[in-house]
Amino acid sequence: MLTIENLHKSYGEKILFNDITCTIANQERIGLIGVNGTGKSSFLKVIAGLEPPEKGSIKHPKDYQIEYLAQEPVLDPDLTVMEQIYFGEASIMKLMRSYEAALLKLQENADNRGNQERLIQLQQKMDEEEAWEANTAAKTVLTKLGITDFGKKITELSGGQQKRVAIAKALIQPADLLILDEPTNHLDNETVEWLEKYLQTYKGSLLLVTHDRYFLNRVTNRIYELDKGNLYSYEGNYEIFLEKKAEREALEISSEQKHRNTLKRELAWLRRGAKARSTKQKARIERVEDLKKETFDTKKDDLEFQVGSTRLGKKVIELKEIEKSYDGKVLLRDFSHLIVPGERLGIIGANGSGKTTLLNIMATRIQPDAGEIEIGETVKIGYYTQGDEELDASVRIIDYIKEIAEVIHTKDGQVITAEQMLERFLFSRSQQWTYIGKLSGGEKRRLYLLKVLMTEPNVLFLDEPTNDLDTQTLSVLEDYLDHFPGVVITVSHDRYFLDRVTERLLVFKGEGRTELFYGNYSDYLEERKQNERPQPKLEKVSERPKQPKKKLSYNDQREWETIEDKIMELEGKVEELQQGIIDAGSDSEQVQKLFAKQQEAEAELEAKMERWEELSLLVEEMENR
């Protein structure tokens, strides 16, 4: 168990942790949530020992291991993937580093006797330390995360690939507590689903920050909420947290009302002007003063807004036969699409498949290699980009927003000032006069989102809006989009956001191919799973045409009654042997034995399938007579 006692930390005048006390027990899976800027990442870093608190302590047993994955991990560019994965002081990590290095040397010079002997010694140590399972797990995790070239240098990987290597490293390190700061950022939908399932069976404790509410709901069994320096603990997942938080807020409102009634009665008694200067009266006066000082945190920050948008005509955007390639890689091939008023389109696909490129073409930020794009005269695009918007740190918050507009208009014609909009986006009047440089990364993204909406667009492009926004801001953005009268086109890997916002999906399939799907992401996932379910082999063309018999013999009839059970039995045997090969890992002798058995079972299965076909033709002939 890890214990946190009276943890206190501030940032300038802002208190991040106000004497927080809590514990993290074995096998707890804790999701940490809170509005951007409340100190979530700082909380993780303090627990990981990367930042010191101003006050308080963190206690755990001597051999307690903590593994931390940062939002933007820093890796050693000179190490290979496998060297980085096995980086660490744990004895099993050192052993696996040595084994992989010896294996690589032997591959480079197989005839060197010294290399052979070194590898044999390390294989024996791997047996003694029972390290083969960890070795296989590491390679499996890397492969599932899309990294297959284990000998590649970190410096040769893209930013997204480096993030995946960092995730794999964090997952395989021996740890009592695994801390993950936004692990799902920049991962595609399929990888997020795999990571979700992997963490559900993780042996240690988890503490994570994520904006992905499906992920949060399915992985966690406790929620910590960081709010105005206080930490609230809720047993259960995200769904249960929402219910219990509503109960807590209702209780606080009730307590505040009782407090007001008591204070009102006490003040009325004092104002009646009792003349006696008794000790009892003095105590009562002191009690009233104490009641006046008592405060309640029932004021909810209002993030709701219903900004209007400029009128949108019938013609929005039409793309005709668009072609686009980069460095020989085809992203769009003969792509045509008509965007109509009211469109709610989600764009999904693997990283690097061309999703952001398509948004940039529609926004006329880049030109296609071929094809034509037509944009309606009334179209006014608001583009929330993925992260290339640099905010000037020396500009005040209020001035940054006023550069766009002093006031905006709501759908019903009312006027909202820039100051009021900033308040609705959780920037208090006093904070509005501070400099952007003092904001956290998440607060800057929230400010940038406000800037985009202040332009009053009628076509919204949102490129990965969930990456840096907290769950509360996302929830309100989703409510806003529900009532937004214009077009919404979003690139996102956040399954919950896609379900809430989209009605159609444009799926990037790779090599310039795309597919349009009618429905949200959950609908798409269900249909894909149904299509992937293996279909029974009911028909196979025989190499030689068989002459159907007029009736089944006694032996044929007996065989027909049992052959399907035999086929299922053989299919199960093949699957068991395939799993056995995976489990055998680096034991090449065992792998060869199992592979030979697998080939025998597959040959027997193939023969049974052909025999099933012959018998089924006989049965069909008899039934049609």
Side-chain angles (χ1 to χ4, degrees):
M1 182 180 287
L2 180 140
T3 305
I4 299 161
E5 293 180 353
N6 303 316
L7 203 66
H8 189 92
K9 190 176 178 69
S10 58
Y11 181 72
E13 296 178 359
K14 189 175 188 177
I15 295 174
L16 298 180
F17 324 136
N18 187 17
D19 293 334
I20 287 174
T21 296
C22 61
T23 60
I24 298 176
N26 185 37
Q27 285 286 297
E28 276 199 314
R29 287 161 165 66
I30 301 169
L32 177 64
I33 66 171
V35 175
N36 287 335
T38 55
K40 298 189 297 295
S41 291
S42 295
F43 186 68
L44 298 186
K45 288 174 184 174
V46 169
I47 294 174
L50 301 175
E51 284 187 9
E54 292 167 21
K55 192 179 75 174
S57 63
I58 297 171
K59 299 174 182 177
H60 53 70
K62 253 188 179 181
D63 58 349
Y64 195 88
Q65 295 292 319
I66 297 175
E67 185 65 26
Y68 170 72
L69 174 72
Q71 270 193 57
E72 301 297 333
V74 178
L75 304 178
D76 188 332
D78 296 325
L79 295 181
T80 65
V81 168
M82 202 51 76
E83 286 170 342
Q84 186 70 70
I85 285 295
Y86 294 144
F87 191 80
E89 294 306 308
S91 60
I92 196 169
M93 293 294 120
K94 291 178 180 178
L95 174 58
M96 287 195 287
R97 277 204 302 274
S98 301
Y99 171 76
E100 291 293 337
L103 190 62
L104 190 62
K105 276 189 178 180
L106 188 64
Q107 288 169 352
E108 291 169 354
N109 188 356
D111 298 328
N112 186 297
R113 190 168 182 79
N115 289 348
Q116 292 172 358
E117 289 175 355
R118 173 67 174 156
L119 185 65
I120 290 169
Q121 289 171 359
L122 286 166
Q123 283 176 332
Q124 289 172 346
K125 274 197 169 183
M126 291 281 282
D127 287 333
E128 291 165 11
E129 297 286 332
E130 296 181 348
W132 292 115
E133 187 180 344
N135 182 269
T136 305
K139 291 176 181 177
T140 301
V141 167
L142 278 171
T143 304
K144 289 290 187 182
L145 289 169
I147 307 293
T148 53
D149 191 347
F150 305 148
K152 211 169 187 179
K153 288 278 183 87
I154 296 296
T155 188
E156 298 171 16
L157 302 178
S158 67
Q161 288 173 321
Q162 290 186 27
K163 176 73 181 275
R164 289 161 185 255
V165 170
I167 291 172
K169 174 181 175 291
L171 293 179
I172 70 154
Q173 293 291 321
D176 298 287
L177 173 62
L178 176 60
I179 299 176
L180 304 172
D181 194 354
E182 295 288 5
T184 62
N185 274 10
H186 313 298
L187 297 182
D188 57 53
N189 305 72
E190 289 185 8
T191 309
V192 170
E193 287 166 25
W194 173 84
L195 181 60
E196 179 184 286
K197 289 173 184 171
Y198 185 92
L199 291 178
Q200 286 171 353
T201 58
Y202 186 75
K203 292 178 181 177
S205 301
L206 290 175
L207 175 61
L208 60 93
V209 170
T210 180
H211 59 266
D212 189 321
R213 284 152 290 179
Y214 281 155
F215 190 89
L216 201 57
N217 207 44
R218 291 166 184 165
V219 171
T220 61
N221 56 24
R222 180 174 293 278
I223 299 291
Y224 280 170
E225 182 189 20
L226 195 56
D227 185 24
K228 299 183 181 73
N230 299 313
L231 190 75
Y232 300 94
S233 178
Y234 303 85
E235 189 175 348
N237 60 11
Y238 183 67
E239 186 179 347
I240 294 171
F241 152 74
L242 291 175
E243 295 172 2
K244 291 185 176 178
K245 184 183 178 183
E247 290 172 8
R248 175 174 69 82
E249 289 176 345
L251 185 63
E252 284 177 353
I253 291 169
S254 174
S255 298
E256 183 181 26
Q257 188 59 50
K258 288 177 184 175
H259 173 270
R260 282 179 183 168
N261 293 339
T262 303
L263 182 58
K264 186 177 179 182
R265 287 195 303 271
E266 294 295 315
L267 285 170
W269 182 86
L270 286 176
R271 286 169 185 154
R272 282 201 297 270
K275 294 178 181 178
R277 293 288 175 183
S278 65
T279 305
K280 193 173 181 180
Q281 183 194 18
K282 287 177 184 177
R284 201 155 188 175
I285 292 170
E286 287 172 5
R287 183 185 171 200
V288 168
E289 291 304 316
D290 289 339
L291 284 168
K292 285 181 179 178
K293 290 175 188 174
E294 197 172 341
T295 59
F296 291 81
D297 185 18
T298 57
K299 181 182 178 296
K300 289 185 72 175
D301 293 305
D302 184 9
L303 240 174
E304 294 182 6
F305 56 98
Q306 287 298 325
V307 182
S309 65
T310 50
R311 189 188 67 82
L312 182 63
K314 290 182 180 178
K315 187 173 183 60
V316 186
I317 300 172
E318 185 173 4
L319 300 116
K320 300 177 181 177
E321 300 175 350
I322 299 294
E323 305 268 345
K324 188 65 183 177
S325 300
Y326 279 116
D327 300 325
K329 182 180 179 181
V330 179
L331 300 180
L332 291 164
R333 178 183 283 121
D334 194 25
F335 176 78
S336 298
H337 186 75
L338 178 66
I339 294 168
V340 297
E343 179 88 83
R344 292 289 190 273
L345 182 68
I347 304 176
I348 64 172
N351 291 338
S353 57
K355 304 185 297 295
T356 298
T357 298
L358 177 59
L359 280 188
N360 285 330
I361 289 173
M362 289 192 288
T364 66
R365 293 190 173 196
I366 60 174
Q367 293 299 313
D369 299 334
E372 186 182 349
I373 178 168
E374 295 179 4
I375 300 177
E377 291 182 8
T378 60
V379 168
K380 186 176 182 182
I381 295 172
Y383 193 170
Y384 179 92
T385 58
Q386 192 170 154
D388 58 3
E389 173 76 8
E390 288 295 329
L391 279 65
D392 189 342
S394 64
V395 173
R396 295 181 192 273
I397 293 170
I398 185 66
D399 295 331
Y400 173 77
I401 290 300
K402 282 189 172 181
E403 283 176 10
I404 306 302
E406 295 272 350
V407 297
I408 56 169
H409 302 87
T410 63
K411 286 164 69 175
D412 56 7
Q414 294 181 2
V415 172
I416 302 178
T417 66
E419 289 88 349
Q420 288 172 323
M421 280 301 294
L422 279 164
E423 279 188 306
R424 295 184 185 196
F425 267 67
L426 309 184
F427 296 106
S428 65
R429 290 288 173 123
S430 59
Q431 191 183 12
Q432 290 173 24
W433 292 95
T434 60
Y435 293 99
I436 289 173
K438 290 189 175 182
L439 299 179
S440 70
E443 286 175 311
K444 287 176 183 176
R445 297 300 288 170
R446 194 194 319 145
L447 184 64
Y448 172 49
L449 174 62
L450 175 58
K451 174 192 171 184
V452 172
L453 298 175
M454 288 286 285
T455 63
E456 299 187 47
N458 50 31
V459 175
L460 260 178
F461 290 170
L462 303 170
D463 193 0
E464 295 289 6
T466 65
N467 271 1
D468 302 293
L469 299 175
D470 55 78
T471 52
Q472 186 179 347
T473 306
L474 283 173
S475 178
V476 176
L477 173 61
E478 288 156 1
D479 288 341
Y480 165 73
L481 294 177
D482 283 344
H483 301 93
F484 180 68
V487 167
V488 179
I489 301 175
T490 181
V491 171
S492 181
H493 65 270
D494 188 308
R495 299 159 293 175
Y496 187 95
F497 187 78
L498 287 169
D499 280 352
R500 273 292 314 268
V501 171
T502 64
E503 295 170 356
R504 293 201 294 176
L505 295 178
L506 182 66
V507 185
F508 274 71
K509 310 287 282 185
E511 299 179 350
R513 295 176 296 114
T514 59
E515 170 186 285
L516 194 62
F517 177 81
Y518 289 82
N520 61 24
Y521 184 73
S522 288
D523 298 332
Y524 168 75
L525 194 63
E526 182 58 32
E527 183 168 300
R528 192 183 68 183
K529 284 178 180 175
Q530 286 181 357
N531 292 338
E532 286 174 356
R533 283 176 190 146
Q535 299 297 320
K537 296 179 182 178
L538 296 178
E539 264 190 67
K540 184 177 177 182
V541 178
S542 290
E543 291 179 9
R544 297 176 186 174
K546 309 292 180 184
Q547 289 296 327
K549 297 179 183 178
K550 296 301 179 185
K551 63 178 181 177
L552 289 179
S553 69
Y554 174 78
N555 288 335
D556 287 343
Q557 182 65 42
R558 291 286 301 274
E559 189 180 1
W560 174 248
E561 290 169 358
T562 60
I563 194 167
E564 289 186 359
D565 291 337
K566 186 63 178 174
I567 287 170
M568 289 177 67
E569 184 184 321
L570 285 167
E571 286 174 338
K573 186 177 179 181
V574 169
E575 287 179 9
E576 283 177 16
L577 289 166
Q578 287 172 339
Q579 185 60 46
I581 290 169
I582 294 168
D583 294 340
S586 301
D587 189 341
S588 57
E589 188 178 338
Q590 179 70 0
V591 167
Q592 285 177 353
K593 285 181 183 177
L594 291 170
F595 184 65
K597 288 182 180 179
Q598 180 188 329
Q599 286 182 310
E600 287 175 15
E602 285 176 343
E604 189 180 351
L605 176 61
E606 185 70 18
K608 285 292 178 188
M609 290 299 297
E610 288 184 5
R611 180 58 177 154
W612 178 90
E613 182 188 334
E614 291 174 17
L615 292 171
S616 66
L617 287 171
L618 289 173
V619 171
E620 187 178 343
E621 175 75 13
M622 288 181 63
E623 288 176 349
N624 291 334
R625 282 175 64 185

